[in-house]
Amino acid sequence: MTDNPKNAEQAADTSNVEKSPENWTTGDEAMTGAQASYLQTLCEEAGETFDENLTKAQASERIDELQDTANRG
């Protein structure tokens, strides 16, 4: 048997590498319902305007911004 558990672990580690939203293949699609819901909550808490027309990538970046501002992330 040639499977090495260490190699499998290393492969699993690299498969979950976080991609930047601008590199997402579906980043230009409309944001998901979960993103919209969470982003709307963050906007309300921060007193910011919620933009329902953001893409998945834009929503992800906006969520990160608002989490940093609110110390929620």
Side-chain angles (χ1 to χ4, degrees):
M1 186 164 165
T2 60
D3 276 341
N4 181 338
K6 186 169 178 94
N7 289 342
E9 183 178 324
Q10 287 172 343
D13 289 346
T14 60
S15 69
N16 291 326
V17 173
E18 189 172 320
K19 286 185 182 179
S20 179
E22 65 263 8
N23 294 326
W24 294 355
T25 57
T26 60
D28 60 344
E29 294 178 3
M31 72 177 126
T32 66
Q35 282 180 309
S37 176
Y38 186 49
L39 185 55
Q40 188 165 15
T41 298
L42 288 173
C43 285
E44 289 171 3
E45 289 178 0
E48 299 279 337
T49 303
F50 171 70
D51 182 354
E52 63 187 38
N53 298 310
L54 297 178
T55 65
K56 285 181 183 179
Q58 291 168 329
S60 177
E61 291 171 347
R62 186 71 175 130
I63 287 168
D64 288 344
E65 290 170 7
L66 290 171
Q67 283 180 326
D68 288 344
T69 301
N71 293 322
R72 259 189 119 175

